[in-house]
């Protein structure tokens, strides 16, 4: 359903247009003055404005110029209406940005065709703006470590397929970048990539965000909103942190994936959608299934092609390349393209554990450049205290002489070995148990006895 605003001082024309357009499935708002029309445009989003050139409180062409000056990422298309149309008026309206010109008495057939074409034009403009935003962030994971080379190879093999993808990885490892790389290498690369962070949307709004709504979701809301499934039509929908969705929402997503149809909130009619779904999570979904927090059937729908993004501590050899990339990015942003990183600073960065992964490293580089505006060489002393402290023995196992008994040494070894296997399996408890040759329940008991937190 698209929203049309009619601005015309003739009540009969307004009522006639409203009646016909509603029958055609449009949401319609009407007004008889330019002043109220501009207020409505400031308060809500419209796809098309049908604007009379003669209004009691303002000239229609002046109103058109005002509409074009309104702040909007994707302004409405404007079709001018006139009972005294002239070539001069039509030319001037076109120069001011009008989509087309209608003469009274209106031909409803021509009006409906123009409306349809104007809405398609606005949608194409919206998609183009989204493509431009995506081009700025398009890329692939940086690094020459074995895990990153394997990840790039997997992207190359799997991206051209239409299979659903589930990306596992800790927070900050770059799961969105992997999703965008998959989209860029897919057969849908010329269509839109839409992201929804499931963890950032309040529970009572996530259904509206996913499926859209009709007839307004609340006071002050526009009468309709296209959900992410609908906006991603023909392209890729990236559901980030999918493990944070409620069971109720999971059931509706499962149905959407099975039927390729969604029903907007407040609507009795479903909409066909054609999207490739890529999901990502920092949780162990198999563990969430065991706890009753995630649907097993949805897991199998999403987990067609699994991707595992390694944490930064498992690919430390990539840190110099990543530092160089971030320094170039922020160097250009802050007008300092020739800043270098000293070897002692790089060594310090490579020894740190990076619990926040790429996001934390990127923030550290930006912070260093901001706090040291006059230097061209970043040394160890310029790094934040948290990072500099990591050059000690953080993350290292105790030395043998530090144990007083054989039992302590054995437990310390078992603890380190289990933690290492958990890192290799990216926190997946089922794969960790298999790698250790243990039953899953036995592994949990062992971890509890050794004081290992399941989330560690």
């Amino acid at each position: 359903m698209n929203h049309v605003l009619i601005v015309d001082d003739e009540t009969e024309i307004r009522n006639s247009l409203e009646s016909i357009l509603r029958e055609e499935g449009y949401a319609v708002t009407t007004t008889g003055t330019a002043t109220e029309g501009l207020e409505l445009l400031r308060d809500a989003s419209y796809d098309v404005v049908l604007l009379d050139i003669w209004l009691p409180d303002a000239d229609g062409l002046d109103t058109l110029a005002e509409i074009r000056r309104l702040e909007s990422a994707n302004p409405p298309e404007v079709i001018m209406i006139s009972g005294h149309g002239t070539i001069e008026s039509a030319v001037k309206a076109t120069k001011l940005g009008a989509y087309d010109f209608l003469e009274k008495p209106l031909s409803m057939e021509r009006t409906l065709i123009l409306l349809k074409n104007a809405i398609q034009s606005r949608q194409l403009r919206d998609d183009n703006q989204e493509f431009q935003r995506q081009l700025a962030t398009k890329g692939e994971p940086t690094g020459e470590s074995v895990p990153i080379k394997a990840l790039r190879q997997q992207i190359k093999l799997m991206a051209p397929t239409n299979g659903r993808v589930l990306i596992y990885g800790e927070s900050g490892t770059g799961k969105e970048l992997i999703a965008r790389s998959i989209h860029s290498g897919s057969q849908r690369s010329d269509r839109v990539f839409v992201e929804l962070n499931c963890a950032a949307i309040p529970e009572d709004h996530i259904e509206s965000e996913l499926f859209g709504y009709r007839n307004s979701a609340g006071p002050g809301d526009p009468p309709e909103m296209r959900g992410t499934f609908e906006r991603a039509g023909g392209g890729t929908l990236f559901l980030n942190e999918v493990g944070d969705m409620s069971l109720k929402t999971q059931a509706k997503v499962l149905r959407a994936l099975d039927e390729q149809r969604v029903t907007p909130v407040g609507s009795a009619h479903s909409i066909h959608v054609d999207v490739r779904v890529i999901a990502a999570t920092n949780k162990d979904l198999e563990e969430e299934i065991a706890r009753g927090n995630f649907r097993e059937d949805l897991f199998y729908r999403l987990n067609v092609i699994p991707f595992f993004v390694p944490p930064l501590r498992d690919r430390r050899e990539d840190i110099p390349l990543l530092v160089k990339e971030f320094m170039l990015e922020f160097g250009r942003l802050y007008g300092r393209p020739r800043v270098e990183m000293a070897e002692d600073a790089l060594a310090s960065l490579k020894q740190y554990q990076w619990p926040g992964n790429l996001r934390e490293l990127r923030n550290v580089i930006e912070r260093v450049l901001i706090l040291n505006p006059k230097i061209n060489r970043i040394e160890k002393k310029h790094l934040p205290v948290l990072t500099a402290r990591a050059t000690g023995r953080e993350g290292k196992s105790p030395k043998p002489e530090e144990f007083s008994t054989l039992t302590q040494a054995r437990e310390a070894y078992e603890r380190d070995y289990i933690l290492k296997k958990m890192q290799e399996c990216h926190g997946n408890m089922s794969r960790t148990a298999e790698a250790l040759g243990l039953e899953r329940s036995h592994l949990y008991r062992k971890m509890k006895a050794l004081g290992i937190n399941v989330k560690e």
Side-chain angles (χ1 to χ4, degrees):
M1 186 181 292
N2 299 103
H3 199 184
V4 179
L5 174 63
I6 301 170
V7 185
D8 195 303
D9 62 333
E10 295 186 48
T11 305
E12 186 177 341
I13 289 178
R14 289 201 310 271
N15 292 341
S16 175
L17 276 172
E18 181 178 9
S19 176
I20 293 170
L21 295 184
R22 286 190 184 279
E23 287 182 6
E24 293 293 324
Y26 293 98
V28 183
T29 302
T30 68
T31 180
T33 66
T35 302
E36 187 176 358
L38 289 169
E39 286 299 317
L40 288 167
L41 286 166
R42 291 187 184 98
D43 292 340
S45 175
Y46 295 85
D47 296 287
V48 179
V49 179
L50 295 173
L51 177 63
D52 192 6
I53 204 167
W54 298 105
L55 294 167
D57 59 335
D59 179 85
L61 293 177
D62 291 339
T63 305
L64 171 61
E66 285 292 325
I67 291 173
R68 288 292 170 239
R69 282 195 287 269
L70 292 175
E71 292 185 7
S72 174
N74 191 19
E77 295 288 1
V78 180
I79 298 174
M80 303 300 298
I81 302 175
S82 176
H84 312 280
T86 64
I87 293 176
E88 182 182 357
S89 297
V91 169
K92 188 173 181 181
T94 302
K95 287 183 177 179
L96 288 171
Y99 180 78
D100 212 322
F101 204 94
L102 285 169
E103 291 186 68
K104 297 178 182 178
L106 299 177
S107 162
M108 290 315 302
E109 182 180 358
R110 174 168 163 75
T111 301
L112 291 174
I113 290 172
L114 275 185
L115 267 178
K116 181 180 178 181
N117 292 341
I119 288 167
Q120 288 178 346
S121 174
R122 185 174 184 268
Q123 184 60 51
L124 286 172
R125 187 172 68 236
D126 189 30
D127 288 347
N128 183 60
Q129 289 174 352
E130 179 62 25
F131 293 152
Q132 293 301 319
R133 287 192 292 270
Q134 290 175 19
L135 284 173
T137 57
K138 183 178 176 180
E140 60 179 18
T142 297
E144 293 301 322
S145 63
V146 172
I148 292 302
K149 285 181 177 179
L151 195 56
R152 283 201 294 263
Q153 183 65 20
Q154 188 181 11
I155 292 171
K156 185 178 179 181
L157 289 172
M158 301 302 182
T161 71
N162 206 36
R164 297 185 190 117
V165 174
L166 183 55
I167 305 172
Y168 299 91
E170 297 177 6
S171 294
T173 50
K175 296 188 290 293
E176 182 186 347
L177 176 63
I178 302 303
R180 289 185 180 275
S181 296
I182 294 169
H183 172 72
S184 297
S186 74
Q187 297 175 0
R188 298 170 180 261
S189 59
D190 60 338
R191 302 304 299 271
V192 72
F193 175 96
V194 178
E195 177 190 2
L196 178 69
N197 188 332
C198 302
I201 307 296
E203 174 56 32
D204 54 349
H205 287 153
I206 193 166
E207 285 189 40
S208 297
E209 290 289 338
L210 283 167
F211 311 121
Y213 59 74
R214 302 292 186 264
N215 304 319
S216 183
D221 287 337
E224 72 154 47
M225 184 187 79
R226 296 166 69 226
T228 49
F229 267 95
E230 190 177 352
R231 288 191 287 115
T236 301
L237 173 58
F238 177 45
L239 299 177
N240 201 359
E241 304 306 346
V242 70
D244 290 284
M245 284 196 303
S246 69
L247 289 170
K248 178 184 175 184
T249 305
Q250 290 173 36
K252 295 194 174 184
V253 170
L254 176 65
R255 187 167 65 249
L257 296 179
D258 284 343
E259 300 175 1
Q260 290 287 288
R261 301 189 71 84
V262 298
T263 303
V265 176
S267 174
H269 304 287
S270 62
I271 301 168
H272 174 72
V273 290
D274 171 28
V275 297
R276 182 186 190 180
V277 173
I278 299 176
T281 182
N282 61 8
K283 295 183 176 181
D284 181 347
L285 291 188
E286 292 183 7
E287 176 61 27
E288 293 299 305
I289 291 169
R291 293 176 178 174
N293 297 329
F294 201 83
R295 292 181 63 110
E296 188 173 15
D297 45 6
L298 178 57
F299 172 74
Y300 289 122
R301 298 297 193 286
L302 296 174
N303 196 41
V304 177
I305 306 173
F307 276 71
F308 300 94
V309 186
L312 188 53
R313 62 182 173 274
D314 288 351
R315 44 178 292 218
R316 295 174 191 269
E317 59 267 46
D318 292 333
I319 288 177
L321 290 174
L322 291 164
V323 167
K324 183 178 180 181
E325 180 181 287
F326 294 146
M327 290 184 70
L328 284 173
E329 176 188 349
F330 292 115
R332 285 192 294 265
L333 181 62
Y334 298 120
R336 301 171 60 203
R338 293 184 174 83
V339 181
E340 298 178 349
M341 183 73 69
E343 287 299 322
D344 65 338
L346 269 180
S348 180
L349 294 174
K350 289 177 73 173
Q351 290 181 29
Y352 181 50
Q353 291 295 303
W354 298 109
N357 293 295
L358 296 183
R359 186 183 296 125
E360 185 181 8
L361 175 61
R362 188 174 185 272
N363 290 345
V364 165
I365 299 303
E366 182 177 18
R367 188 188 320 161
V368 168
L369 290 180
I370 290 173
L371 294 178
N372 299 278
K374 297 185 181 299
I375 62 173
N376 293 322
R377 184 177 174 84
I378 304 298
E379 298 179 0
K380 178 181 174 181
K381 64 182 180 181
H382 299 122
L383 297 178
V385 174
L386 176 65
T387 307
R389 283 177 180 168
T391 57
R393 296 185 51 242
E394 179 179 339
K396 293 185 179 180
S397 301
K399 294 179 180 179
E401 58 267 24
E402 296 179 21
F403 300 115
S404 57
T405 67
L406 179 61
T407 300
Q408 286 183 359
R410 184 176 64 249
E411 288 179 351
Y413 174 80
E414 287 183 348
R415 188 178 193 279
D416 287 348
Y417 188 71
I418 290 174
L419 288 173
K420 181 175 182 295
K421 287 300 179 183
M422 285 179 65
Q423 287 183 2
E424 291 175 359
C425 296
H426 309 283
N428 186 293
M429 299 305 296
S430 295
R431 284 190 291 273
T432 302
E434 184 179 352
L436 292 168
L438 299 173
E439 293 292 334
R440 187 182 174 115
S441 58
H442 186 188
L443 174 59
Y444 276 115
R445 288 195 297 271
K446 175 66 74 173
M447 291 172 65
K448 185 176 181 180
L450 294 172
I452 301 175
N453 191 314
V454 175
K455 296 291 184 183
E456 190 166 353

